[in-house]
Amino acid sequence: MSSTLRLLLDKFTDRIFHHGSWKGYWEVLMQQFKPAWRDGYFRARIVTVKNLSTDMLEVVLKPERAWPTHAAGQHIALTIEVNGRLTTRVFTIASGAGTHQRDKQIRLVTKVKAQGALTPYLHACVPNQWVNISAPMGEFIWPQTEKPLLMIAGGSGITPFIAMLDDAINNTQVNQKSVHLLYFAKPNEHVLIDELSAFQKRCESFSYSILTKQKDGDLEAHLSYFANAQWLVCGPNAMYEQARRCAELINAPVSSEHFAALPVVSSTSLTESETFSLVHNGQSLTIDNQQSLLSQLQQAEQPVTYGCGMGICHQCQCVKKRGVVRDTRTGELSDSAEQLIQLCVSQAVTDVEIQL
């Protein structure tokens, strides 16, 4: 189908059926033949789900052939249905591109949060179940530098480094420079240590330290030895801030992938009228926190897909790239990470960016 014909069909579908795309309109029918098929997403099949520790989980997926191979260190958005709602969270791929090319599989390793919107439900996924994943995203990849590398991981922030090392050691990139990993976690909560040990045995220029704050102190105490290295940081925001301050003092280059904290939202902000910025498809719109995002997009005469307007049909579902919204049905606040939301039952609590 030519791009011109596709555009005309999408415009016709939007005007007549209030749906953003021709392919998306036939989603329900397509799912009878291809489970979990959704316009704009890729499908992946669950291979295994297993516990690595009391609160760390490994999920192995087999993406469909059309999925583009990732670069080690990148992340994907995973979408599963939870209690009748599509729920999306972002996870770093914990295996290299070479593993995907060889086995046609990718691996996610995540901490299970008791009150999380998605991770507590991953245990219920079964082999051969279809889920949705996004294309690979992110710029946190193996750097092109002659400098030695210092990898700094906190908790589940170990995942991009496992992927990078998986590819780099297989491709002998590590042999060309010294690489050291500082891996912080709570006592007895370090994971994938066997893999780190195997990497070290295969490559003399790679080394690692298993650390806990209680025994080994704060991160700063370990950084002065690596002033001449390129620093890579993945972990909680507090860890990143420690590394950033130290890097500035000794002029060390640093790149990072750190976990964003949930913005503080006052109780008055949910009842008193406030205005925020809504960014969508490169455009910016001033909105308030009293009406749904769908209502305000319609008032601004922005093209938007919608259906029932009550949160039932999911036709106004879109990707929230950043910001916090409130579910008008439950009062529940989203987190600030990328996830699927329904415009008709979402009100802004902070500035928001969405992808229609």
Side-chain angles (χ1 to χ4, degrees):
M1 184 186 298
S2 69
S3 57
T4 302
L5 179 57
R6 185 182 298 112
L7 180 61
L8 289 173
L9 283 172
D10 288 347
K11 286 185 176 180
F12 171 80
T13 307
D14 179 61
R15 179 70 63 88
I16 303 301
F17 301 116
H18 306 297
H19 206 289
S21 72
W22 175 251
K23 290 173 65 177
Y25 180 72
W26 296 102
E27 199 168 272
V28 175
L29 178 61
M30 287 292 294
Q31 288 172 359
Q32 302 302 311
F33 305 95
K34 289 188 173 183
W37 184 91
R38 291 185 176 88
D39 183 30
Y41 295 84
F42 296 95
R43 299 192 308 152
R45 216 169 47 198
I46 298 285
V47 178
T48 59
V49 179
K50 70 176 183 180
N51 291 312
L52 296 180
S53 67
T54 54
D55 64 349
M56 293 291 287
L57 196 68
E58 177 189 84
V59 180
V60 177
L61 302 170
K62 185 174 183 179
E64 63 180 339
R65 290 184 179 180
W67 187 75
T69 299
H70 67 294
Q74 288 188 305
H75 53 270
I76 58 169
L78 170 67
T79 302
I80 65 174
E81 189 169 313
V82 176
N83 296 327
R85 297 176 60 188
L86 293 175
T87 303
T88 301
R89 287 295 183 271
V90 174
F91 300 95
T92 299
I93 301 170
S95 53
T99 297
H100 174 243
Q101 292 169 350
R102 182 185 67 247
D103 302 333
K104 310 305 179 187
Q105 297 177 357
I106 60 174
R107 176 177 66 167
L108 310 179
V109 173
T110 180
K111 186 178 182 67
V112 178
K113 299 179 181 178
Q115 304 301 318
L118 187 146
T119 55
Y121 301 93
L122 290 174
H123 288 286
C125 292
V126 296
N128 293 319
Q129 176 182 338
W130 288 99
V131 296
N132 292 116
I133 60 174
S134 70
M137 301 175 286
E139 304 297 327
F140 190 66
I141 59 176
W142 186 273
Q144 300 301 314
T145 177
E146 299 300 320
K147 287 178 171 288
L149 294 184
L150 173 63
M151 297 174 168
I152 305 169
S156 58
I158 188 65
T159 51
F161 299 128
I162 290 290
M164 290 181 195
L165 291 166
D166 184 20
D167 274 353
I169 289 177
N170 285 328
N171 296 332
T172 69
Q173 289 174 286
V174 176
N175 294 325
Q176 301 170 18
K177 66 182 73 178
S178 172
V179 179
H180 188 73
L181 167 69
L182 299 176
Y183 180 15
F184 277 86
K186 294 179 181 179
N188 302 315
E189 292 191 6
H190 297 84
V191 295
L192 307 177
I193 295 178
D194 288 346
E195 293 183 32
L196 293 176
S197 177
F199 288 150
Q200 188 176 51
K201 290 177 181 178
R202 292 171 55 194
C203 181
E204 293 181 356
S205 59
F206 170 67
S207 58
Y208 65 95
S209 302
I210 300 299
L211 306 168
T212 64
K213 185 175 180 181
Q214 294 86 339
K215 178 183 177 182
D216 302 291
D218 287 334
L219 172 63
E220 290 100 321
H222 303 270
L223 295 177
S224 59
Y225 306 103
F226 302 97
N228 296 322
Q230 165 81 45
W231 296 4
L232 304 176
V233 187
C234 186
N237 191 59
M239 168 176 278
Y240 164 72
E241 286 298 327
Q242 290 179 25
R244 182 188 61 78
R245 289 193 298 267
C246 291
E248 287 181 353
L249 290 175
I250 61 178
N251 199 31
V254 58
S255 57
S256 68
E257 185 92 302
H258 52 281
F259 312 144
L262 183 69
V264 176
V265 179
S266 67
S267 58
T268 57
S269 68
L270 300 180
T271 55
E272 297 179 3
S273 180
E274 294 187 45
T275 57
F276 301 106
S277 171
L278 173 66
V279 176
H280 63 101
N281 299 344
Q283 301 182 59
S284 182
L285 178 68
T286 299
I287 58 172
D288 61 44
N289 63 340
Q290 302 298 301
Q291 304 176 76
S292 72
L293 298 181
L294 175 62
S295 295
Q296 296 182 82
L297 285 166
Q298 289 175 320
Q299 291 168 16
E301 298 184 346
Q302 298 296 312
V304 59
T305 299
Y306 63 95
C308 67
M310 298 183 292
I312 297 174
C313 72
H314 292 278
Q315 290 199 48
C316 65
Q317 186 172 269
C318 72
V319 177
K320 174 178 69 65
K321 305 294 288 184
R322 62 176 176 87
V324 179
V325 297
R326 182 174 72 91
D327 189 313
T328 58
R329 299 165 296 183
T330 64
E332 179 184 0
L333 298 180
S334 73
D335 61 25
S336 56
E338 182 174 297
Q339 67 184 106
L340 288 177
I341 62 170
Q342 291 174 263
L343 295 172
C344 65
V345 292
S346 297
Q347 292 176 334
V349 176
T350 67
D351 292 337
V352 177
E353 179 180 355
I354 61 174
Q355 179 179 311
L356 294 176

